[in-house]
Amino acid sequence: MNVESLIPFTRPYVSGCADIVVIGALTRAARKFFERSLTWRQDRYIGYGKGLVKAKIAPEDPAAQSLVSVIRAQVKGQNKPLGPAPNGFNDAETSEGQPKFYSSDAVGYLQLQPMPTESTVVLVKIAIKPAIGSQVIPDGLGEMYGEIIAEGAVAEILSIPDSKQYNPKQSDFHRNNFNRGITTALNKVEMGYSNTGGRVYGGQFI
């Protein structure tokens, strides 16, 4: 879905505003929504050669999608997910063994600890958002959260000084709706909703 499809949700509040302005605001609101709500998720496989602890994480379409965070990581064939690296995690640590922890502090990379003693495949669930300038979002998520994204766009347009639509009070109203919608979406996804559907990792549905 292109965010342009969400223009009708904005029109009751910003009639007369040029489409190009509305589309720009929708594009930015979509990035903010997915960055904060973590609702757009993908499952990725990452391979590590023997003795390697760090590998790049990339969304399915890096030109149109950007990584937000790592939600879960699990070594293929293992029953338990890796734990987030504890405080004091040492990137220079060279101990070897079955990986137990992961770190994604280096943007775009996943580091394991201890160092794998054999080639290892890790199944990773990531949260993503549209890349800068990208107007494409998943159809299902657009249908589910399009009106919330539109609230964010309307809030931005109504806050533009010296414009015909300028209305700070109404801007605050729509921004509050946008923020509440993000919180609701985040709570929903943390309770188990995933746009990727049920996937089996190590015998467990996530």
Side-chain angles (χ1 to χ4, degrees), residues 122-195:
V122 178
L123 288 72
V124 184
K125 184 177 287 291
I126 59 175
I128 64 172
K129 63 183 177 181
I132 294 175
S134 175
Q135 300 174 0
V136 179
I137 61 177
D139 290 349
L141 293 178
E143 292 171 3
M144 187 175 295
Y145 298 116
E147 293 182 68
I148 298 173
I149 293 171
E151 291 277 5
V154 169
E156 177 183 319
I157 294 168
L158 294 178
S159 70
I160 301 174
D162 301 323
S163 68
K164 292 181 179 180
Q165 288 77 31
Y166 184 58
N167 189 326
K169 186 174 181 179
Q170 283 299 304
S171 176
D172 289 343
F173 172 78
H174 289 284
R175 185 172 294 105
N176 288 336
N177 287 345
F178 181 55
N179 290 332
R180 280 195 298 270
I182 289 173
T183 299
T184 298
L186 179 59
N187 289 338
K188 184 176 181 179
V189 79
E190 287 183 342
M191 288 188 295
Y193 164 78
S194 172
N195 66 290

Side-chain angles (χ1 to χ4, degrees), residues 42 44-46 48 54-60 62 66-67 69-70 73 102-111 124-128:
Q42 291 179 349
R44 309 294 288 154
Y45 290 85
I46 302 177
Y48 294 79
K54 185 181 290 187
K56 188 172 180 62
I57 314 170
E60 292 177 4
S66 296
L67 177 69
S69 64
V70 174
Y102 74 87
S103 169
S104 55
D105 292 341
V107 178
Y109 289 87
L110 190 77
Q111 182 165 336
V124 184
K125 184 177 287 291
I126 59 175
I128 64 172

Side-chain angles (χ1 to χ4, degrees), residues 14-160:
V14 293
S15 59
C17 187
D19 282 357
I20 190 171
V21 175
V22 178
I23 292 171
L26 285 167
T27 301
R28 290 184 288 275
R31 277 178 56 82
K32 291 177 185 177
F33 174 82
F34 288 113
E35 180 173 323
R36 293 170 54 192
S37 70
L38 308 179
T39 51
W40 187 357
R41 300 184 172 192
Q42 291 179 349
D43 296 333
R44 309 294 288 154
Y45 290 85
I46 302 177
Y48 294 79
K50 180 181 178 181
L52 296 179
V53 296
K54 185 181 290 187
K56 188 172 180 62
I57 314 170
E60 292 177 4
D61 185 358
Q65 302 159 358
S66 296
L67 177 69
V68 174
S69 64
V70 174
I71 304 298
R72 177 187 172 111
Q74 184 168 328
V75 175
K76 188 176 181 181
Q78 298 296 314
N79 292 324
K80 294 179 62 177
L82 300 174
N87 292 334
F89 180 73
N90 183 2
D91 286 348
E93 177 63 50
T94 57
S95 61
E96 297 183 355
Q98 175 66 43
K100 297 179 180 178
F101 304 105
Y102 74 87
S103 169
S104 55
D105 292 341
V107 178
Y109 289 87
L110 190 77
Q111 182 165 336
L112 306 181
Q113 186 62 248
M115 179 187 300
T117 55
E118 58 185 9
S119 295
T120 301
V121 175
V122 178
L123 288 72
V124 184
K125 184 177 287 291
I126 59 175
I128 64 172
K129 63 183 177 181
I132 294 175
S134 175
Q135 300 174 0
V136 179
I137 61 177
D139 290 349
L141 293 178
E143 292 171 3
M144 187 175 295
Y145 298 116
E147 293 182 68
I148 298 173
I149 293 171
E151 291 277 5
V154 169
E156 177 183 319
I157 294 168
L158 294 178
S159 70
I160 301 174

